[in-house]
Structure formats: structure tokens, C-alpha cells
Amino acid sequence: MMLSRASKYAILSTLFLAEHSSETHKISVKVIAESIDVPNPFLAKLFQQLVRGKIISSTKGPNGGFYLTKKNGKRTVLDIIENIDGLSRLNECFLGLSECDGLNPCPVHFIVEPFKNGILGKFRDLSIMEFSKEIIAQGRKLTLKDISTDFEKK
């Protein structure tokens, strides 16, 4: 199971919105892109797709931007992946073989399958807001920026 870069960016930016936005506090693509170190033009295209899929919401104008409604927050990470890549990508062979399943397994199929099912279960069962609250509670950072200097200080 390999997620595309687009799906990774979409998940990361949607979770960022869950943590930092609301219907009264909208955030621009530029601010999000800079905050999580994702290319702005690429993120803008992803956000168009996520808005069309009703994963996130947007408002145009001087006080416009992107945000999550309560309804958006009830969607799942799996919904994000389905919107960006489709679900077939999640069933691809870990080693990239064209045919791999329980009857015709690749060399690592039975090692990877429980791991993949665990991740998919979490992506399917937790809402975006639940995922966000878990990230906040555990003090994790939502960024692709180099955070090694943070660890070096400890």
C-alpha cells in the first residue's frame, strides 16, 4: 500500500485545517503550504478537488479561505485518499507486482497484509476530527519541514 504524494499532502493539509481552522477562521492555501512545507500551486489544485469532494469547504473573498465544517470533520482519512487517488491504489502489491493476493502472494504479502489492514482500519474508522484530536493530544507536528533540530535540543 503506497500513498501518492498527492494523497499524503491532502491528508496532511486536511488535518492541518482540522487543527487550525473553523467556519469563522478560514485559512489561505499560501499559509497552509508554508506552514506544512508543501508546494503552494500543487496544494491549490488538491484543495479544488477536496472541495468538490466535500472533504473541505471554502469561501471566496477578502475573508475567504479554507476550513472544515462539522460535517467535513466527520469524514475520514480514507475519504481523502478515495477522493485523491481512488481506493484501488490501496490494494496494490507492496512490492509492485501486478498480481498479488492471498492465493498468489508476493514474498512479503503475509507480512505486510496485517500492517496494511491495521492502517486501513484506522483510516476508515476515525473521523478527520478524531484523528486531529489524537495528533494534538500526542503532541505530534503536522509538517514536512525538517524537525531534526527540535529533536537535537532534547
Side-chain angles (χ1 to χ4, degrees):
M1 174 183 84
M2 299 292 172
L3 295 178
S4 70
R5 185 176 55 159
S7 276
K8 291 174 187 176
Y9 289 173
I11 293 166
L12 191 60
S13 58
T14 301
L15 291 171
F16 183 89
L17 283 175
E19 184 176 342
H20 298 286
S21 76
S22 68
E23 293 185 49
T24 58
H25 178 71
K26 297 161 181 80
I27 306 174
S28 72
V29 170
K30 182 181 178 187
V31 168
I32 297 165
E34 288 172 359
S35 297
I36 61 176
D37 201 28
V38 170
N40 188 347
F42 190 51
L43 188 59
K45 286 186 177 195
L46 288 176
F47 270 22
Q48 289 174 357
Q49 193 170 338
L50 292 170
V51 168
R52 280 193 304 271
K54 300 185 186 328
I55 307 289
I56 66 174
S57 295
S58 69
T59 303
K60 293 183 180 189
N63 296 320
F66 295 90
Y67 62 100
L68 292 184
T69 63
K70 287 186 181 188
K71 189 173 182 179
N72 297 141
K74 291 179 182 176
R75 302 293 298 266
T76 67
V77 172
L78 197 59
D79 291 332
I80 299 169
I81 295 167
E82 182 175 18
N83 180 268
I84 299 298
D85 285 337
L87 295 180
S88 62
R89 188 168 185 130
L90 296 175
N91 295 318
E92 290 178 357
C93 173
F94 185 77
L95 295 180
L97 301 179
S98 59
E99 292 186 32
C100 176
D101 57 31
L103 298 174
N104 186 31
C106 74
V108 297
H109 180 83
F110 294 110
I111 296 168
V112 174
E113 194 71 12
F115 171 73
K116 184 167 82 169
N117 288 338
I119 290 172
L120 288 176
K122 193 157 193 158
F123 284 174
R124 180 189 60 242
D125 297 341
L126 286 179
S127 72
I128 291 167
M129 289 310 292
E130 289 170 331
F131 228 100
S132 176
K133 287 177 183 172
E134 188 175 288
I135 290 166
I136 293 166
Q138 294 180 3
R140 296 187 189 135
K141 294 187 180 218
L142 287 174
T143 184
L144 296 175
K145 291 180 182 177
D146 182 11
I147 58 173
S148 60
T149 54
D150 290 347
F151 293 116
E152 291 168 5
K153 292 175 185 174
K154 293 181 181 180

